[in-house]
Amino acid sequence: MLEIGLTGGIGSGKTRVADMFAARGAALIDTDLLAHEITAPGGAAIAPLVDAFGPQCLRSDGAMDRDAMRAQVFSDPLAKAKLEAITHPLIRQLTETRAAALRESGAYPYLIYVVPLLVESGTWRTRVGRVLVVDCREETQISRVMARNGFTREQVQAIMRKQASRAQRLAVADDVIDNDGPPEALAPQVDMLDAAYRRLSGAAGSV
């Protein structure tokens, strides 16, 4: 089964595009959703997070306080490294378990991993057969995130500086979806790639 890594910067429309592929029958593993799963109340990361950061890292319901942790790791590289040392191995283990089950099922034409920090991780390029980048202009990213999250321009730009640049993402892309236009421009691009991925997956499966 062909396995594809889907990525893009904040506000690029990764989730929308991933959902469109899922609607066409693709298997989907969203690493951001897995991160939420392991940091939910009783999740696999909760106990080591409390050990590392203290009980103040949790909300009253027992989930990781994402806003508080985001603020801490944004300003403290050591805290960021400590958080990633806890969460990244758990996310990778869960990703591999879910992927193995999807491959074993034989029910899907191809598998897409949604990985916001695919370029930054440095390892995903060797773990997938193709990289798909959802691309748009940086100004489009800024305006979308400001409208969606209520952030200031400066807040969005600070987040973007922590991510790979548009050029860095495009440099590793095998396929690109342009999401700088109207929503209706996405479907033809997704349809074209869906057909291509089905052909590639079938060819790989017949070898």
Side-chain angles (χ1 to χ4, degrees), residues 15 44 61 73 81 86 98 101-102 104 116 123 143 152 160 163 176 183 185:
T15 300
D61 64 357
V73 303
I86 293 169
R98 299 277 170 86
L102 290 168
E104 183 68 22
T123 62
S143 61
T152 65
M160 290 171 63
Q163 297 184 340
V176 177

Side-chain angles (χ1 to χ4, degrees), residues 1 22 24-27 99-111 198:
M1 181 166 65
R24 287 157 175 77
L102 290 168
R103 293 185 204 107
E104 183 68 22
S105 75
Y108 300 93
Y110 55 91
L111 168 60
R198 287 172 182 270

Side-chain angles (χ1 to χ4, degrees), residues 132-167:
L132 167 60
V133 170
V134 182
D135 180 57
C136 64
R137 292 177 300 116
E138 292 180 353
E139 188 58 38
T140 302
Q141 291 179 256
I142 293 169
S143 61
R144 284 178 181 162
V145 179
M146 288 174 64
R148 182 185 70 193
N149 298 86
F151 291 172
T152 65
R153 170 177 289 271
E154 290 72 24
Q155 286 174 312
V156 182
Q157 289 174 322
I159 294 170
M160 290 171 63
R161 284 194 294 270
K162 295 284 187 178
Q163 297 184 340
S165 68
R166 183 185 185 190

Side-chain angles (χ1 to χ4, degrees), residues 94-207:
L94 195 51
T95 298
E96 291 173 351
T97 299
R98 299 277 170 86
L102 290 168
R103 293 185 204 107
E104 183 68 22
S105 75
Y108 300 93
Y110 55 91
L111 168 60
I112 290 182
Y113 301 92
V114 185
V115 189
L117 300 182
L118 182 147
V119 176
E120 294 86 335
S121 75
T123 62
W124 271 99
R125 190 62 191 89
T126 60
R127 293 167 61 186
V128 295
R130 298 185 74 81
V131 170
L132 167 60
V133 170
V134 182
D135 180 57
C136 64
R137 292 177 300 116
E138 292 180 353
E139 188 58 38
T140 302
Q141 291 179 256
I142 293 169
S143 61
R144 284 178 181 162
V145 179
M146 288 174 64
R148 182 185 70 193
N149 298 86
F151 291 172
T152 65
R153 170 177 289 271
E154 290 72 24
Q155 286 174 312
V156 182
Q157 289 174 322
I159 294 170
M160 290 171 63
R161 284 194 294 270
K162 295 284 187 178
Q163 297 184 340
S165 68
R166 183 185 185 190
Q168 287 171 321
R169 285 189 294 271
L170 291 173
V172 304
D174 297 295
D175 307 299
V176 177
I177 283 183
D178 178 2
N179 192 21
D180 218 1
E184 57 269 23
L186 286 176
Q189 299 179 77
V190 173
D191 286 337
M192 182 180 67
L193 283 174
D194 173 63
Y197 292 156
R198 287 172 182 270
R199 287 194 300 271
L200 288 169
S201 200
S206 64
V207 173

Side-chain angles (χ1 to χ4, degrees), residues 49-50 52-60 63-65 68-69 72:
L49 283 170
V50 172
F53 295 99
Q56 64 271 19
C57 74
L58 302 184
R59 299 190 319 227
S60 58
M64 184 184 77
D65 187 331
M69 288 301 300
Q72 185 172 349

